[in-house]
Amino acid sequence: MKATTLPKFGLFLCSGHEEVKMKVASALITAVAAFTAYYVYRPMPSTVSEPWKLMLLDATFRCAQDLCNLADYFGLGHHLKILHYMSSFEKNDPVSSGNLKVTDTIFDGVEVRVFEPSSEPHGTLKRSIVYIHGGGWALASARSSTYDGLCRKVSEEVNAVVVSIEYRLVPDVHFPTPLNDVLTATKYFLHPDVLQKYSVDPDRIAVSGDSAGGNLAAAVCQQLTENPNQTIKLKLQALVYPALQILDFNTPSYQQNTDMPVLSRLGMIKYWLDYLNVSLALTHSMLVNNHTSLDSGETVALRERLNWNTLLPVSFKKNYKPVVQSIGNPSLVQKFPALLDARASPLIATKETLQLLPKTYILTCEHDVLRDDGTMFAKRLQEAGIDVTHDHYDDGFHGCMSFTTWPTYFLVGARARDGYVKWLKENL
Ligand SMILES: *[C@@H]1O[C@H](CO)[C@@H](O)[C@H](O)[C@H]1NC(C)=O
Ligand SMILES: *[C@@H]1O[C@H](CO)[C@@H](O)[C@H](O)[C@H]1NC(C)=O
Ligand SMILES: *[C@@H]1O[C@H](CO)[C@@H](O)[C@H](O)[C@H]1NC(C)=O
């Protein structure tokens, strides 16, 4: 049977049965068109940098995400773990170059990658940056080409020792473990003898990070500044489109950029819930701010600290209306004390804490759900008397600074990175 069917089938396709060929071709075209319509075509604001390229990037991301959710559904593993595996298969070994020594080592139990520019004439101390990579507390790595590349660039251009922290990720660990990893490694680095080993000037050290790494950088900076035992202090904090609060998912930027690549509002809420080890079943409750309704007691006072009606400029508020529920889900706050924790939401720190913080750089992008987190933090810091530089990119989108190499090179990404490096050079 088989022997006769197979050649027939082959013949069938190759011998010019035009009608079938047409059918196959038209089915293929329909499939590609449907795929394109579903995955690729998403209207983008005309003001965003290189909208077509962004659409393609976004399609790739969503496709990967859907595959991971599918794999999770079929029990192959946690969706974040699969995504992490897919996105960081290119973990690189440390490679030194002519003017840069790169090593992987351990700081008090925490893995770090250290980038050291070649030595100055004897006795000259260098500046230093502790860098915390982004990726929703769940993705990426200090060893991925993206962050290895960024830290090389920063180390070379600023001529600074860069310590990039390989903190443990969700879902293997949850809040506050990633933060504690970062804190442990940073504290270790700030010991006088360790600084001496790396020829680092104790008065010229910054902490920095992007996205979830910006969240960790801001939290670490507050922890270290508040700790009276910490004698060597950070000189600067530099936060790149940081995630800074979990109390309001309806800021104007969350409302405006609900479906923007590379980070949607639902995506950001899910990263938060996974980080805090809270069930994803609460996503929709938090989306409507049921966790900070007026009957939720403690959160009401905290929301005053992110009252965007007073903290944002009119050009950001546009015509968006605050979403405040009078009756919500108050039991959430009892179940998840992290909702009230400034170590998770550095934006809700008290004014007394903010007053102690060092000079600050904040980068925000217009087409980013997190734009207002960073903007409100800049404003609160200024009100507390801190010297803040706020660089806002009208054509920027979340994560753009990570897209500066072919085939995902974005002009706005390169501009944002160069502006960030320039500020560090001038202020560190
Ligand atoms: C400071 O050091 C003292 C003595 O070692 C310790 O008891 C205290 O908990 C430390 N404080 C902080 C905030 O780490
Ligand atoms: C996270 O939540 C799960 C289920 O509620 C629990 O079993 C686990 O111990 C939690 N993990 C941490 C680190 O809190
Ligand atoms: C928000 O809370 C109200 C009052 O408890 C409830 O009726 C509503 O279903 C909640 N919304 C969501 C999306 O959970």
Side-chain angles (χ1 to χ4, degrees), residues 73-88:
Y73 178 79
F74 284 113
L76 296 178
H78 191 286
H79 67 105
L80 285 175
K81 264 201 124 131
I82 302 170
L83 193 59
H84 178 76
Y85 180 77
M86 280 172 60
S87 59
S88 61

Side-chain angles (χ1 to χ4, degrees), residues 17-31:
H17 239 279
E18 291 305 326
E19 198 185 333
V20 173
K21 269 194 183 167
M22 289 288 287
K23 272 191 181 153
V24 170
S26 90
L28 272 178
I29 289 170
T30 312

Side-chain angles (χ1 to χ4, degrees), residues 135-171:
W137 304 280
L139 304 172
S141 161
R143 300 181 182 129
S144 66
S145 61
T146 303
Y147 288 107
D148 182 80
L150 176 67
C151 289
R152 273 172 194 280
K153 174 101 181 158
V154 171
S155 179
E156 279 173 359
E157 299 234 332
V158 184
N159 191 26
V161 174
V162 175
V163 173
S164 183
I165 303 179
E166 189 77 322
Y167 56 97
R168 283 170 291 170
L169 299 174
V170 174

Side-chain angles (χ1 to χ4, degrees), residues 16-190:
H17 239 279
E18 291 305 326
E19 198 185 333
V20 173
K21 269 194 183 167
M22 289 288 287
K23 272 191 181 153
V24 170
S26 90
L28 272 178
I29 289 170
T30 312
V32 169
F35 178 84
T36 311
Y38 180 69
Y39 271 112
V40 181
Y41 187 71
R42 285 265 174 126
M44 295 284 154
S46 58
T47 47
V48 77
S49 171
E50 304 166 88
W52 269 102
K53 224 192 257 181
L54 188 56
M55 235 185 262
L56 284 173
L57 181 70
D58 181 46
T60 316
F61 273 38
R62 274 183 297 118
C63 191
Q65 208 135 37
D66 287 355
L67 284 175
C68 292
N69 289 338
L70 199 67
D72 190 331
Y73 178 79
F74 284 113
L76 296 178
H78 191 286
H79 67 105
L80 285 175
K81 264 201 124 131
I82 302 170
L83 193 59
H84 178 76
Y85 180 77
M86 280 172 60
S87 59
S88 61
F89 58 91
E90 31 89 54
K91 272 191 186 177
N92 300 314
D93 288 334
V95 177
S96 298
S97 60
N99 46 359
L100 210 58
K101 184 170 138 203
V102 184
T103 40
D104 284 349
T105 180
I106 311 259
F107 280 3
D108 198 5
V110 180
E111 293 176 33
V112 296
R113 175 164 287 191
V114 185
F115 304 79
E116 296 169 80
S118 40
S119 289
E120 304 277 336
H122 189 67
T124 316
L125 296 177
K126 286 196 198 71
R127 303 183 278 181
S128 181
I129 298 145
V130 173
Y131 196 83
I132 307 159
H133 72 79
W137 304 280
L139 304 172
S141 161
R143 300 181 182 129
S144 66
S145 61
T146 303
Y147 288 107
D148 182 80
L150 176 67
C151 289
R152 273 172 194 280
K153 174 101 181 158
V154 171
S155 179
E156 279 173 359
E157 299 234 332
V158 184
N159 191 26
V161 174
V162 175
V163 173
S164 183
I165 303 179
E166 189 77 322
Y167 56 97
R168 283 170 291 170
L169 299 174
V170 174
D172 292 338
V173 296
H174 300 274
F175 173 83
T177 304
L179 173 61
N180 287 341
D181 280 357
V182 171
L183 196 56
T184 301
T186 309
K187 272 182 169 166
Y188 177 88
F189 183 59
L190 294 179

Side-chain angles (χ1 to χ4, degrees), residues 284-285 288 290 325 327-329:
H284 288 278
S285 184
V288 297
N290 258 7
Q325 308 290 353
I327 300 171
N329 200 346

